[in-house]
Amino acid sequence: MRSVPTGPTTTRQEYDVYRLNTPHATAEAHQRMLDFYHKVIQEDLDLCNAAQKNLSRGVYVSGPLHSVHEEGVLAFQQMVVDVLDKHMREEEVVGKQIWPAERKSEEEGGNSEACEKILACGLPNNLEW
């Protein structure tokens, strides 16, 4: 499944459905799976459309995620919160904002020689991407 934004309030959903090539993957089993999948997709579409209407009206409030069926989303969200929490604590220790992607001079603890070797793949002035 891919969500492809097509505008500020629209998204195109793209789905790839694969069929197993095993003795248990009968045409009937595949059809049952497709029927269930279509039902879930329609429920999600209805929820998204209703949420978008409320977003457009400025009254949207997110609800809790399902602890079983959306455990991957919950796990990802928790990982993000943990990383952000760790980063904020590190900033408190050093007393300033930390910008991990900011290039630093060697005096500031950066290693420009290593960066140049990595970016140039060991070949000076020979970047071909």
Side-chain angles (χ1 to χ4, degrees):
M1 179 183 134
R2 289 174 299 285
S3 297
V4 183
T6 56
T9 60
T10 57
T11 301
R12 182 178 70 241
Q13 297 294 118
E14 298 176 352
Y15 302 89
D16 292 327
V17 179
Y18 299 93
R19 189 173 183 165
L20 291 174
N21 187 15
T22 67
H24 299 291
T26 64
E28 295 80 19
H30 185 71
Q31 189 58 50
R32 278 194 312 274
M33 186 275 305
L34 280 177
D35 291 343
F36 173 76
Y37 197 56
H38 286 134
K39 181 179 183 251
V40 170
I41 290 169
Q42 187 59 53
E43 289 172 356
D44 286 350
L45 178 65
D46 293 341
L47 287 170
C48 288
N49 284 336
Q52 183 61 52
K53 286 179 185 176
N54 288 332
L55 277 169
S56 298
R57 292 179 182 132
V59 295
Y60 177 77
V61 177
S62 65
L65 294 173
H66 194 283
S67 61
V68 174
H69 300 295
E70 295 174 310
E71 65 183 336
V73 176
L74 288 167
F76 176 78
Q77 288 179 347
Q78 189 59 54
M79 286 189 315
V80 170
V81 167
D82 292 344
V83 167
L84 291 173
D85 182 58
K86 180 179 179 233
H87 184 84
M88 286 173 42
R89 282 186 274 120
E90 289 172 357
E91 287 184 338
E92 287 174 1
V93 169
V94 298
K96 65 178 183 176
Q97 288 186 331
I98 299 171
W99 296 87
E102 183 179 65
R103 188 171 181 176
K104 297 176 182 162
S105 69
E106 290 183 34
E107 296 82 33
E108 296 174 303
N111 190 339
S112 59
E113 183 180 333
C115 290
E116 288 170 10
K117 284 182 180 177
I118 292 167
L119 291 175
C121 301
L123 302 172
N125 302 321
N126 192 15
L127 288 178
E128 292 183 27
W129 302 50

